[in-house]
Amino acid sequence: MMMNQQHARERAVRGAALLVAALLAVTPRAEAQVRGTIVGPGAARQAIAVSPLQTNGMPPREGERFADILGKDLELSGLFRVVDRAAYLEDPQTSGVTTGTIDFRDWSTIGAQALVKGKLERDGDQLVVELRLFDVVEGRQLGGKRYRAKSGELRRIAHRFADEIMLLVTGERGPFDSRIAFVSRTEGRFKELVMMSLDGGDLRALTKERSIVLSPSWSGGVRSLLFTSFRRGNPSLYRLTLGAPAPTLVSARDGLNLGGHASPGGRAIAVALERRGNTDIALIDPDGKLIHFVTHGRAIDVSPSWSPDGRRLAFCSDRGGGPQIYTVDARGGEPKRVTFKGGYNTSPTWSPKGDRLAYASRVQGRFQIFTTDLPGRDVVQVTQTGDNEDPSWSPDGRYLVFSSTRDGPRGIYLSDVSGRHQRRLTAPGGDDSSPTWSRRLD
Amino acid sequence: MARTIRLATAATVPFVVPLVVLGLVLSGCVKKPTALDDGAPYDAASAGTAPGSGLGADGASDTNPESSLERYRRGLAPDEGGILKDVPFGYDSYELNAAGRDILAANAAWLNENPGTRTEIEGHSDDRGTIEYNLALGARRAKAAKDYLVSLGIAPDRLSTISYGEELPLCRDSNESCYGRNRRVHFIPPGP
């Protein structure tokens, strides 16, 4: 039964190898031009050494594995370049992990500006992981944390400390302790829901619909997802609660029940419903009961996305002729057009801080990811090649994930909001689309 | 040794908070990470339904076996044409053109000669554009075909509609002739 998952995992592993190859080819970039809330990623990257952890009786391999996971997150952040472990001079098992016991010259010699050291210990059935970030040049500690967790949660500790390092360095916590759900083609044809960490780890199949699954969206934190499935013929809206035996039906009205998005407070779901052959944006309650229709009329209205304060919705409509982005009061009222450039703008998604929208726009026949402020003056193009669709923001608002065909069949990609730092997240050879980035796990 | 560490350079991050020297902030009370359930995916055949949904508890679809969706589930390509011919559409359009109206007139004639039959009208799109918008477009195409048949005297309760958007294409090439084939309304073979 787990053949798909295993296959997907193998693909992820191949993807990781490819990622490293790509990184080695990267040339240093000119200093970034930073503005607005765009902080850090994409600017000149800092050289950081991530020492394997001291393992104190546990296999040294565990300490290396931890450093691998943390190092990959730091590379993905776009803030750091991890110094190759082969260059490290000291023995991680016998050297010190605190300021007075580290010879920082050994690290500055190999070009490291920052250093992560730590130790891993077993305490009964738990693991204790102690981690510190050092400024190599000044020879001082910048921060440290101690984590206590079940032994299966080592990967999560690495993600959490990556977030901690980003907090220390940029003043804002990173996005790595989170999950990305997306649609993945299996058995050559079915579209199913899959979930992974940003580094491609923790990959897990979520549905077994043997049908077409569309438009997943996290609801209620990281415990459940809304999605549309054709499992019983009609494209109906379902909710999958992680750990529950099966998805439950939310809305099975005749025709499309599409793109369900839970409101920030959780009391309403915005969804595109079909009325007499035409789709309008509606609000339904968590059990699927209609609250009210937000949009009306003869135009196609799809892809609703909530503002973080829960007051407005962004959506795509052809009311002006072609598909364009609008916002509207969630209680109803006159929609306000946001996009004016380009003949096909769609899939809007509101940033976590509420200041920008990301969307897909057709440029010379291909779809590219853009962001815009509101009301739509400061437009930034994020992607340049292939067809790029379905953007989703990171919990900290500094990154986007989306699908792209730039290297062949659709895969999931990461970019910082400026577009300078882009990486493939899923392995080549799959057909992966419609990513949705969760909040942080806590 | 003029080089200094620039972990949050003022030049690149103009308004970042100054790096606070946190010293030793090793705390013994870090929140335990939330455990995620690690269960296997459910089995499609045993998956439940919400109460009052009106759907069979066996998880079976009530879709016609010759519909494009049921063919896809069996690993078969969608049918093209049939007793009732496919209706073509222009790019990003749900307007019926002259050729489409002629085909629908012929389809209406067949349906008039075979009273008591019903058919499902499937709306499809090419793969340019986004998944959700193309589903809405397919719904409009199916509705346009249904409205025209009703205007020609076919009872609305003999006609149901569904949109598959870009999900069930006839071909996967990136050229206009393939895009054109995929932008269609298809009728599943009429039956009682």
Side-chain angles (χ1 to χ4, degrees):
Chain A
M1 186 188 65
M2 289 289 87
M3 280 310 287
N4 292 338
Q5 205 174 344
Q6 198 167 0
H7 173 64
R9 192 171 290 134
E10 283 163 14
R11 283 204 280 113
V13 170
R14 286 203 303 276
L18 200 86
L19 201 66
V20 173
L23 283 166
L24 295 174
V26 166
T27 50
R29 291 168 195 272
E31 195 160 275
Q33 187 191 336
V34 181
R35 64 199 159 89
T37 57
I38 301 167
V39 179
R45 295 182 298 150
Q46 309 296 332
I48 189 166
V50 183
S51 176
L53 303 188
Q54 229 178 60
T55 49
N56 302 311
M58 292 176 64
R61 176 73 200 114
E62 289 294 301
E64 288 168 17
R65 204 169 66 90
F66 186 93
D68 290 342
I69 299 162
L70 177 57
K72 186 166 179 191
D73 282 357
L74 295 174
E75 289 273 10
L76 282 172
S77 76
L79 292 166
F80 298 99
R81 177 177 59 79
V82 177
V83 179
D84 185 359
R85 189 179 303 157
Y88 300 178
L89 298 172
E90 56 164 49
D91 178 351
Q93 296 304 328
T94 55
S95 58
V97 297
T98 53
T99 312
T101 59
I102 296 170
D103 189 343
F104 288 103
R105 287 168 305 183
D106 279 355
W107 296 101
S108 63
T109 300
I110 61 168
Q113 295 161 288
L115 167 67
V116 175
K117 294 210 75 170
K119 54 185 181 182
L120 170 62
E121 277 170 346
R122 190 173 287 287
D123 180 17
D125 61 348
Q126 291 195 315
L127 291 176
V128 179
V129 186
E130 199 176 290
L131 297 159
R132 294 159 202 258
L133 175 69
F134 299 97
D135 177 330
V136 169
V137 178
E138 296 185 6
R140 66 185 173 91
Q141 177 169 316
L142 299 172
K145 282 275 181 188
R146 187 195 297 148
Y147 302 90
R148 180 180 284 275
K150 281 182 277 185
S151 56
E153 293 178 323
L154 203 57
R155 290 182 46 80
R156 272 206 67 194
I157 295 173
H159 295 320
R160 285 169 70 102
F161 197 63
D163 289 348
E164 188 70 23
I165 290 174
M166 285 184 70
L167 174 65
L168 292 167
V169 165
T170 68
E172 188 165 356
R173 189 169 292 282
F176 289 97
D177 190 25
S178 62
R179 291 285 189 272
I180 292 166
F182 57 99
V183 173
S184 189
R185 203 176 287 280
T186 61
E187 296 177 49
R189 61 182 194 280
F190 299 122
K191 288 173 105 173
E192 304 282 3
L193 272 187
V194 168
M195 177 173 85
M196 67 178 185
S197 296
L198 203 60
D199 64 351
D202 308 305
L203 195 69
R204 186 181 143 192
L206 295 178
T207 61
K208 203 172 180 201
E209 301 277 293
R210 299 181 66 80
S211 186
I212 302 166
V213 168
L214 301 165
S215 306
S217 166
W218 291 98
S219 87
V222 289
R223 292 273 165 218
S224 65
L225 286 149
L226 294 168
F227 64 97
T228 298
S229 172
F230 280 85
R231 65 183 301 175
R232 287 187 183 81
N234 192 67
S236 299
L237 185 69
Y238 294 83
R239 180 187 294 106
L240 175 69
T241 301
L242 299 185
T248 53
L249 193 57
V250 178
S251 175
R253 293 167 172 84
D254 268 358
L256 296 169
N257 299 260
L258 187 61
H261 269 68
S263 65
R267 277 202 283 263
I269 296 168
V271 62
L273 296 178
E274 193 174 329
R275 285 197 286 188
R276 298 178 295 278
N278 186 45
T279 48
D280 284 318
I281 307 299
L283 300 188
I284 58 178
D285 73 15
D287 297 323
K289 194 167 153 280
L290 183 71
I291 300 171
H292 62 251
F293 273 90
V294 179
T295 67
H296 306 269
R298 292 171 45 82
I300 289 175
D301 297 328
V302 288
S303 304
S305 169
W306 289 94
S307 63
D309 64 6
R311 289 165 189 266
R312 293 186 75 78
L313 291 161
F315 66 103
C316 169
S317 175
D318 76 339
R319 60 189 57 222
Q324 297 290 346
I325 312 292
Y326 294 77
T327 64
V328 66
D329 191 304
R331 293 167 299 185
E334 193 56 37
K336 209 185 285 181
R337 185 164 165 180
V338 177
T339 52
F340 292 92
K341 223 179 137 195
Y344 198 132
N345 294 303
T346 182
S347 307
T349 168
W350 223 302
S351 72
K353 292 189 179 72
D355 56 340
R356 295 186 80 82
L357 295 178
Y359 59 98
S361 177
R362 195 182 60 203
V363 182
Q364 292 166 340
R366 311 305 295 264
F367 281 86
Q368 305 301 342
I369 306 298
F370 284 73
T371 68
T372 179
D373 67 349
L374 292 156
R377 291 195 191 91
D378 177 33
V379 176
V380 175
Q381 183 168 350
V382 177
T383 63
Q384 309 291 336
T385 59
D387 279 305
N388 304 271
E389 295 181 14
D390 288 326
S392 176
W393 293 89
S394 62
D396 61 357
R398 288 183 283 193
Y399 302 90
L400 292 160
V401 286
F402 48 88
S403 71
S404 178
T405 61
R406 65 186 65 179
D407 304 315
R410 271 183 303 201
I412 308 298
Y413 286 72
L414 170 78
S415 178
D416 70 302
V417 287
S418 73
R420 284 185 199 88
H421 173 74
Q422 301 197 24
R423 291 285 182 275
R424 187 176 182 121
L425 299 182
T426 53
D431 176 7
D432 302 316
S433 56
S434 305
T436 173
W437 201 326
S438 77
R439 291 188 220 162
R440 293 191 185 90
L441 294 185
D442 282 340
Chain B
M1 252 333 257
R3 194 186 55 180
T4 54
I5 190 163
R6 297 173 66 210
L7 282 170
T9 58
T12 55
V13 190
F15 63 92
V16 80
V17 273
L19 201 63
V20 182
V21 181
L22 294 174
L24 197 69
V25 282
L26 289 174
S27 78
C29 57
V30 172
K31 225 193 306 182
K32 203 176 108 190
T34 311
L36 283 164
D37 178 84
D38 202 27
Y42 59 93
D43 186 345
S46 67
T49 45
S53 67
L55 295 173
D58 58 355
S61 166
D62 52 6
T63 315
N64 185 298
E66 285 312 310
S67 74
S68 297
L69 181 68
E70 287 306 313
R71 292 182 61 81
Y72 153 88
R73 281 179 173 152
R74 302 202 303 274
L76 303 172
D79 262 334
E80 190 168 15
I83 295 169
L84 303 177
K85 296 281 177 279
D86 290 1
V87 178
F89 287 85
Y91 175 59
D92 192 23
S93 170
Y94 41 85
E95 303 284 327
L96 294 170
N97 55 31
R101 284 192 294 268
D102 288 349
I103 291 166
L104 285 168
N107 289 351
W110 190 95
L111 288 165
N112 271 323
E113 287 162 15
N114 295 273
T117 57
R118 301 163 52 84
T119 184
E120 185 167 61
I121 306 172
E122 299 179 349
H124 297 269
S125 75
D126 65 33
D127 67 354
R128 294 174 299 170
T130 50
I131 291 166
E132 292 184 18
Y133 188 82
N134 278 335
L135 278 160
L137 192 59
R140 290 296 295 256
R141 286 175 178 161
K143 178 64 162 43
K146 178 178 176 177
D147 287 351
Y148 197 71
L149 290 173
V150 170
S151 79
L152 296 175
I154 308 302
D157 60 6
R158 295 175 63 193
L159 307 168
S160 59
T161 59
I162 189 163
S163 174
Y164 295 119
E166 64 182 76
E167 302 301 323
L168 302 172
L170 289 167
C171 49
R172 296 181 182 274
D173 309 316
S174 296
N175 58 52
E176 186 44 52
S177 95
C178 176
Y179 295 144
R181 278 178 72 201
N182 287 334
R183 291 192 302 265
R184 69 205 190 274
V185 153
H186 176 70
F187 299 84
I188 63 173

PDB file of all heavy atoms in Angstrom, chain A residues 19-37:
ATOM      1  N   LEU A  19      19.626  19.312  -5.597  1.00  0.00           N
ATOM      2  CA  LEU A  19      19.669  20.612  -4.960  1.00  0.00           C
ATOM      3  C   LEU A  19      21.105  20.993  -4.619  1.00  0.00           C
ATOM      4  O   LEU A  19      21.531  22.109  -4.850  1.00  0.00           O
ATOM      5  CB  LEU A  19      18.814  20.543  -3.694  1.00  0.00           C
ATOM      6  CG  LEU A  19      18.307  21.848  -3.146  1.00  0.00           C
ATOM      7  CD1 LEU A  19      17.327  22.468  -4.106  1.00  0.00           C
ATOM      8  CD2 LEU A  19      17.641  21.611  -1.815  1.00  0.00           C
ATOM      9  N   VAL A  20      21.842  20.045  -4.073  1.00  0.00           N
ATOM     10  CA  VAL A  20      23.222  20.320  -3.692  1.00  0.00           C
ATOM     11  C   VAL A  20      24.038  20.684  -4.932  1.00  0.00           C
ATOM     12  O   VAL A  20      24.776  21.649  -4.943  1.00  0.00           O
ATOM     13  CB  VAL A  20      23.838  19.105  -2.968  1.00  0.00           C
ATOM     14  CG1 VAL A  20      25.313  19.330  -2.730  1.00  0.00           C
ATOM     15  CG2 VAL A  20      23.115  18.879  -1.653  1.00  0.00           C
ATOM     16  N   ALA A  21      23.818  19.930  -5.998  1.00  0.00           N
ATOM     17  CA  ALA A  21      24.549  20.207  -7.234  1.00  0.00           C
ATOM     18  C   ALA A  21      24.261  21.622  -7.713  1.00  0.00           C
ATOM     19  O   ALA A  21      25.154  22.352  -8.122  1.00  0.00           O
ATOM     20  CB  ALA A  21      24.162  19.198  -8.295  1.00  0.00           C
ATOM     21  N   ALA A  22      23.006  22.008  -7.604  1.00  0.00           N
ATOM     22  CA  ALA A  22      22.623  23.338  -8.076  1.00  0.00           C
ATOM     23  C   ALA A  22      23.283  24.423  -7.230  1.00  0.00           C
ATOM     24  O   ALA A  22      23.729  25.436  -7.735  1.00  0.00           O
ATOM     25  CB  ALA A  22      21.109  23.476  -8.029  1.00  0.00           C
ATOM     26  N   LEU A  23      23.380  24.163  -5.939  1.00  0.00           N
ATOM     27  CA  LEU A  23      23.944  25.174  -5.043  1.00  0.00           C
ATOM     28  C   LEU A  23      25.407  25.439  -5.337  1.00  0.00           C
ATOM     29  O   LEU A  23      25.875  26.557  -5.263  1.00  0.00           O
ATOM     30  CB  LEU A  23      23.802  24.708  -3.598  1.00  0.00           C
ATOM     31  CG  LEU A  23      22.399  24.871  -3.038  1.00  0.00           C
ATOM     32  CD1 LEU A  23      22.247  24.083  -1.762  1.00  0.00           C
ATOM     33  CD2 LEU A  23      22.120  26.335  -2.805  1.00  0.00           C
ATOM     34  N   LEU A  24      26.128  24.383  -5.665  1.00  0.00           N
ATOM     35  CA  LEU A  24      27.551  24.554  -5.919  1.00  0.00           C
ATOM     36  C   LEU A  24      27.796  25.426  -7.143  1.00  0.00           C
ATOM     37  O   LEU A  24      28.830  26.046  -7.273  1.00  0.00           O
ATOM     38  CB  LEU A  24      28.205  23.180  -6.098  1.00  0.00           C
ATOM     39  CG  LEU A  24      28.170  22.301  -4.843  1.00  0.00           C
ATOM     40  CD1 LEU A  24      28.705  20.921  -5.148  1.00  0.00           C
ATOM     41  CD2 LEU A  24      28.942  22.945  -3.706  1.00  0.00           C
ATOM     42  N   ALA A  25      26.795  25.457  -8.014  1.00  0.00           N
ATOM     43  CA  ALA A  25      26.958  26.222  -9.246  1.00  0.00           C
ATOM     44  C   ALA A  25      26.584  27.692  -9.073  1.00  0.00           C
ATOM     45  O   ALA A  25      26.786  28.500  -9.946  1.00  0.00           O
ATOM     46  CB  ALA A  25      26.105  25.611 -10.349  1.00  0.00           C
ATOM     47  N   VAL A  26      26.025  28.020  -7.907  1.00  0.00           N
ATOM     48  CA  VAL A  26      25.553  29.390  -7.708  1.00  0.00           C
ATOM     49  C   VAL A  26      26.723  30.354  -7.547  1.00  0.00           C
ATOM     50  O   VAL A  26      27.659  30.105  -6.803  1.00  0.00           O
ATOM     51  CB  VAL A  26      24.631  29.456  -6.472  1.00  0.00           C
ATOM     52  CG1 VAL A  26      24.402  30.896  -6.044  1.00  0.00           C
ATOM     53  CG2 VAL A  26      23.323  28.769  -6.765  1.00  0.00           C
ATOM     54  N   THR A  27      26.692  31.440  -8.256  1.00  0.00           N
ATOM     55  CA  THR A  27      27.732  32.456  -8.105  1.00  0.00           C
ATOM     56  C   THR A  27      27.226  33.526  -7.145  1.00  0.00           C
ATOM     57  O   THR A  27      26.033  33.756  -7.050  1.00  0.00           O
ATOM     58  CB  THR A  27      28.035  33.106  -9.466  1.00  0.00           C
ATOM     59  OG1 THR A  27      26.800  33.497 -10.063  1.00  0.00           O
ATOM     60  CG2 THR A  27      28.762  32.153 -10.383  1.00  0.00           C
ATOM     61  N   PRO A  28      28.149  34.179  -6.441  1.00  0.00           N
ATOM     62  CA  PRO A  28      27.705  35.197  -5.490  1.00  0.00           C
ATOM     63  C   PRO A  28      26.935  36.304  -6.204  1.00  0.00           C
ATOM     64  O   PRO A  28      27.288  36.691  -7.324  1.00  0.00           O
ATOM     65  CB  PRO A  28      29.025  35.741  -4.920  1.00  0.00           C
ATOM     66  CG  PRO A  28      30.063  34.745  -5.274  1.00  0.00           C
ATOM     67  CD  PRO A  28      29.596  34.063  -6.512  1.00  0.00           C
ATOM     68  N   ARG A  29      25.895  36.770  -5.586  1.00  0.00           N
ATOM     69  CA  ARG A  29      25.069  37.797  -6.212  1.00  0.00           C
ATOM     70  C   ARG A  29      25.437  39.171  -5.677  1.00  0.00           C
ATOM     71  O   ARG A  29      25.990  39.309  -4.591  1.00  0.00           O
ATOM     72  CB  ARG A  29      23.586  37.547  -5.903  1.00  0.00           C
ATOM     73  CG  ARG A  29      23.051  36.328  -6.583  1.00  0.00           C
ATOM     74  CD  ARG A  29      21.689  36.002  -6.001  1.00  0.00           C
ATOM     75  NE  ARG A  29      21.302  34.651  -6.374  1.00  0.00           N
ATOM     76  CZ  ARG A  29      20.654  34.358  -7.489  1.00  0.00           C
ATOM     77  NH1 ARG A  29      20.342  35.300  -8.339  1.00  0.00           N
ATOM     78  NH2 ARG A  29      20.323  33.126  -7.769  1.00  0.00           N
ATOM     79  N   ALA A  30      25.065  40.146  -6.446  1.00  0.00           N
ATOM     80  CA  ALA A  30      25.263  41.510  -5.988  1.00  0.00           C
ATOM     81  C   ALA A  30      24.359  41.765  -4.784  1.00  0.00           C
ATOM     82  O   ALA A  30      23.381  41.078  -4.572  1.00  0.00           O
ATOM     83  CB  ALA A  30      24.909  42.479  -7.108  1.00  0.00           C
ATOM     84  N   GLU A  31      24.715  42.776  -4.023  1.00  0.00           N
ATOM     85  CA  GLU A  31      23.956  43.075  -2.829  1.00  0.00           C
ATOM     86  C   GLU A  31      22.501  43.366  -3.180  1.00  0.00           C
ATOM     87  O   GLU A  31      22.203  44.062  -4.140  1.00  0.00           O
ATOM     88  CB  GLU A  31      24.571  44.282  -2.139  1.00  0.00           C
ATOM     89  CG  GLU A  31      24.084  44.438  -0.728  1.00  0.00           C
ATOM     90  CD  GLU A  31      25.046  45.302   0.063  1.00  0.00           C
ATOM     91  OE1 GLU A  31      26.036  44.771   0.585  1.00  0.00           O
ATOM     92  OE2 GLU A  31      24.795  46.504   0.109  1.00  0.00           O
ATOM     93  N   ALA A  32      21.611  42.799  -2.382  1.00  0.00           N
ATOM     94  CA  ALA A  32      20.198  42.916  -2.691  1.00  0.00           C
ATOM     95  C   ALA A  32      19.681  44.319  -2.399  1.00  0.00           C
ATOM     96  O   ALA A  32      20.168  44.999  -1.518  1.00  0.00           O
ATOM     97  CB  ALA A  32      19.419  41.918  -1.867  1.00  0.00           C
ATOM     98  N   GLN A  33      18.689  44.679  -3.163  1.00  0.00           N
ATOM     99  CA  GLN A  33      17.976  45.910  -2.871  1.00  0.00           C
ATOM    100  C   GLN A  33      16.760  45.512  -2.043  1.00  0.00           C
ATOM    101  O   GLN A  33      15.917  44.756  -2.490  1.00  0.00           O
ATOM    102  CB  GLN A  33      17.546  46.571  -4.176  1.00  0.00           C
ATOM    103  CG  GLN A  33      16.952  47.943  -3.976  1.00  0.00           C
ATOM    104  CD  GLN A  33      16.310  48.442  -5.240  1.00  0.00           C
ATOM    105  OE1 GLN A  33      16.648  48.016  -6.332  1.00  0.00           O
ATOM    106  NE2 GLN A  33      15.349  49.327  -5.074  1.00  0.00           N
ATOM    107  N   VAL A  34      16.716  45.979  -0.848  1.00  0.00           N
ATOM    108  CA  VAL A  34      15.675  45.520   0.069  1.00  0.00           C
ATOM    109  C   VAL A  34      14.720  46.652   0.381  1.00  0.00           C
ATOM    110  O   VAL A  34      15.124  47.780   0.599  1.00  0.00           O
ATOM    111  CB  VAL A  34      16.307  44.997   1.374  1.00  0.00           C
ATOM    112  CG1 VAL A  34      15.236  44.508   2.320  1.00  0.00           C
ATOM    113  CG2 VAL A  34      17.277  43.892   1.058  1.00  0.00           C
ATOM    114  N   ARG A  35      13.438  46.319   0.374  1.00  0.00           N
ATOM    115  CA  ARG A  35      12.461  47.358   0.715  1.00  0.00           C
ATOM    116  C   ARG A  35      11.240  46.711   1.324  1.00  0.00           C
ATOM    117  O   ARG A  35      11.064  45.502   1.249  1.00  0.00           O
ATOM    118  CB  ARG A  35      12.079  48.157  -0.542  1.00  0.00           C
ATOM    119  CG  ARG A  35      11.374  47.320  -1.576  1.00  0.00           C
ATOM    120  CD  ARG A  35      11.458  48.014  -2.919  1.00  0.00           C
ATOM    121  NE  ARG A  35      11.240  47.049  -3.986  1.00  0.00           N
ATOM    122  CZ  ARG A  35      10.037  46.764  -4.465  1.00  0.00           C
ATOM    123  NH1 ARG A  35       8.985  47.359  -3.989  1.00  0.00           N
ATOM    124  NH2 ARG A  35       9.897  45.881  -5.416  1.00  0.00           N
ATOM    125  N   GLY A  36      10.424  47.527   1.910  1.00  0.00           N
ATOM    126  CA  GLY A  36       9.195  47.016   2.512  1.00  0.00           C
ATOM    127  C   GLY A  36       9.513  45.997   3.597  1.00  0.00           C
ATOM    128  O   GLY A  36      10.450  46.163   4.365  1.00  0.00           O
ATOM    129  N   THR A  37       8.735  44.936   3.604  1.00  0.00           N
ATOM    130  CA  THR A  37       8.931  43.921   4.633  1.00  0.00           C
ATOM    131  C   THR A  37       9.887  42.838   4.152  1.00  0.00           C
ATOM    132  O   THR A  37      10.056  41.837   4.796  1.00  0.00           O
ATOM    133  CB  THR A  37       7.606  43.254   4.984  1.00  0.00           C
ATOM    134  OG1 THR A  37       7.066  42.713   3.773  1.00  0.00           O
ATOM    135  CG2 THR A  37       6.628  44.221   5.578  1.00  0.00           C
TER     136      THR A  37
END
